[in-house]
Amino acid sequence: QAKARDMWQNPLLPPHLVFQAALLGAAVLLPIASVMGNDIILLLWMLTITSFIHLLMVWGEVSLTHPTAHARLAIWEMVKGRYKNDFWMGTILSLVGALLPLLAVLGVMNISIGVGAAPFALIGLMLFENAYVQAAQSVPIA
């Protein structure tokens, strides 16, 4: 089905999925490691870095010129159309999920605030993915 959806033919998609997997792993392990009393600095850095890379990939996805009208329409649906609320809320929550752990690692905030960023990152990624998939499928194939 991905071959039929022009928006998913972006060369950024495979590396974006890799960074999303790392983001999800860090966000899921962070609260568990915190409760177990493990050192969580590496996971905080991983959540920060992968969240920022995710946001850069999102920016690349929406700012690149797409070769087909279908892909351009799908991007419009995601950013300004029917799925804009999920897209923008997901982007904002992903930014929160990147900044809070960074501030915790830098000592500006308590480490527990950084751990509390994990749900923001997870929900932000879920909302972005919902907008991404729904927008691509909302455009007629033919």
Side-chain angles (χ1 to χ4, degrees), residues 17-100:
L17 292 174
V18 169
F19 285 107
Q20 286 178 351
L23 186 159
L24 288 169
V28 168
L29 290 175
L30 193 55
I32 296 168
S34 175
V35 168
M36 294 178 68
N38 294 335
D39 186 23
I40 58 170
I41 298 299
L42 180 62
L43 287 172
L44 288 169
W45 275 115
M46 190 167 176
L47 183 60
T48 296
I49 292 167
T50 56
S51 291
F52 277 125
I53 291 172
H54 163 67
L55 290 169
L56 286 173
M57 296 278 196
V58 169
W59 176 72
E61 177 72 41
V62 299
S63 65
L64 286 176
T65 304
H66 291 273
T68 67
H70 287 107
R72 288 189 296 273
L73 181 57
I75 292 294
W76 186 90
E77 284 289 347
M78 183 172 70
V79 176
K80 297 179 183 174
R82 287 183 273 182
Y83 306 103
K84 68 181 176 190
N85 292 337
D86 281 357
F87 173 78
W88 289 110
M89 186 55 70
T91 302
I92 291 167
L93 290 175
S94 292
L95 183 60
V96 170
L99 290 176
L100 290 180

Side-chain angles (χ1 to χ4, degrees), residues 33 37 51 123 125:
S51 291
I123 294 168
L125 187 56

Side-chain angles (χ1 to χ4, degrees), residues 110-133:
N110 192 326
I111 291 290
S112 62
I113 299 291
V115 174
F120 290 105
L122 290 170
I123 294 168
L125 187 56
M126 178 193 67
L127 289 171
F128 166 76
E129 281 300 314
N130 182 58
Y132 186 75
V133 170

